[in-house]
Amino acid sequence: MNSVLHMKRKWRTLAQPYQLALRRYLGLGTPPPLRSARQLGRRAVALGLETLDLALLHEQALLAQVLAVETPATRVRIIQRANTFFSEAIIPLEEGHHVARSANIRLSRINQALSRRTQDLATSNQRLKLEIARRRVVEATLLESKQQTIQLLEQSRVLQEDLKLLSHRILSVQEEERKRISRELHDVIAQVLTGINVRLAVLKSAAAVDTRGLCQKISRTQRLVEKSVDIVHR
């Protein structure tokens, strides 16, 4: 409702100037320049009026001029000249319509380009989302692999420490075993050699008194020496 009242107010603003300009144009004997008609058309464009609005203004102004004339020939001449005036007055509106159509065509092309661009962006965004998802999977896999590697390295370090302790323990046991065997060998050889020495002393004493049974005693002493050799070999 307010927009209709606003449009009527604009229409009334231009009605009187249009009527005066048309009367001045029709009242002159020779056709004057049509600058006033073009100016009225520009004012109509500035007010936001359309071609139909200006046609209604023209019709109202023309009726006031025609009704004041009595002869039909004069009326015909007035109508023809008024048509020329109106044709000139609507040129700015038609130019505006042409510009608007051109703008609409360009806007349509821009909208089509924007639509294609939007579609391309949507496709690119979809691809980007897929790439981001793929990279996240790869990153998660790498992180899991890294954690597994860290765990394996830690297990390897623990195993190396255990192996080092075990090796040290084995060496200690071996060293203790060598010491034990050395002590036992020393004790056994010492006893055997002591026995041999005792037997040789006995043989020495017995040889001076009685040579009987000497061979048997020597044989026993030899077996004792062989036993000692076997012990050393073991």
Side-chain angles (χ1 to χ4, degrees):
M1 184 65 179
N2 293 331
S3 60
V4 174
L5 293 176
H6 187 61
M7 185 60 67
K8 287 182 177 180
R9 192 177 301 113
K10 291 180 178 180
W11 191 81
R12 287 194 297 269
T13 300
L14 194 60
Q16 186 175 1
Y18 190 93
Q19 187 174 0
L20 292 175
L22 180 61
R23 184 189 305 168
R24 189 179 301 112
Y25 178 79
L26 297 175
L28 298 176
T30 57
L34 294 171
R35 289 193 301 270
S36 59
R38 187 69 68 89
Q39 291 174 356
L40 288 169
R42 293 193 186 98
R43 288 185 62 184
V45 172
L47 291 172
L49 299 177
E50 298 294 336
T51 303
L52 181 59
D53 298 325
L54 194 61
L56 293 174
L57 287 174
H58 177 76
E59 182 181 0
Q60 183 180 5
L62 180 59
L63 285 175
Q65 299 297 322
V66 171
L67 292 176
V69 177
E70 298 180 356
T71 60
T74 305
R75 289 178 180 176
V76 172
R77 183 180 60 82
I78 289 174
I79 291 173
Q80 290 176 349
R81 294 187 65 182
N83 287 339
T84 303
F85 186 86
F86 178 72
S87 298
E88 187 70 18
I90 65 173
I91 289 176
L93 279 82
E94 294 299 324
E95 290 177 348
H97 291 161
H98 177 71
V99 172
R101 285 194 295 271
S102 300
N104 287 332
I105 293 173
R106 185 176 181 184
L107 181 61
S108 178
R109 292 176 179 174
I110 292 174
N111 287 332
Q112 291 176 358
L114 287 176
S115 178
R116 290 193 298 270
R117 181 60 177 168
T118 302
Q119 184 64 31
D120 293 340
L121 287 175
T123 303
S124 298
N125 287 334
Q126 185 65 25
R127 292 176 180 173
L128 182 60
K129 289 180 181 179
L130 293 175
E131 181 65 20
I132 291 174
R134 187 187 67 81
R135 291 191 178 184
R136 286 178 178 175
V137 172
V138 172
E139 289 176 357
T141 304
L142 290 175
L143 180 60
E144 183 179 359
S145 177
K146 181 179 179 181
Q147 292 176 349
Q148 291 178 353
T149 303
I150 292 174
Q151 292 177 356
L152 290 175
L153 289 175
E154 181 62 22
Q155 292 175 0
S156 176
R157 187 188 64 81
V158 173
L159 290 175
Q160 287 179 356
E161 292 294 331
D162 292 342
L163 181 60
K164 188 182 296 184
L165 292 176
L166 181 60
S167 300
H168 185 268
R169 183 176 180 183
I170 290 174
L171 291 176
S172 298
V173 171
Q174 288 178 347
E175 182 66 22
E176 292 295 328
E177 184 68 12
R178 282 195 294 269
K179 289 180 180 179
R180 184 184 64 80
I181 293 173
S182 177
R183 287 195 299 270
E184 290 182 356
L185 183 62
H186 179 272
D187 294 341
V188 171
I189 296 301
Q191 292 177 1
V192 172
L193 293 177
T194 301
I196 293 172
N197 189 34
V198 170
R199 287 181 178 274
L200 290 175
V202 171
L203 289 175
K204 184 178 180 181
S205 300
V209 178
D210 185 10
T211 59
R212 292 179 301 177
L214 184 61
C215 291
Q216 185 179 1
K217 292 180 180 179
I218 291 174
S219 297
R220 290 178 181 177
T221 304
Q222 287 177 340
R223 287 197 295 272
L224 185 60
V225 172
E226 292 175 355
K227 183 179 179 181
S228 299
V229 172
D230 291 337
I231 292 173
V232 172
H233 284 170
R234 288 197 300 271

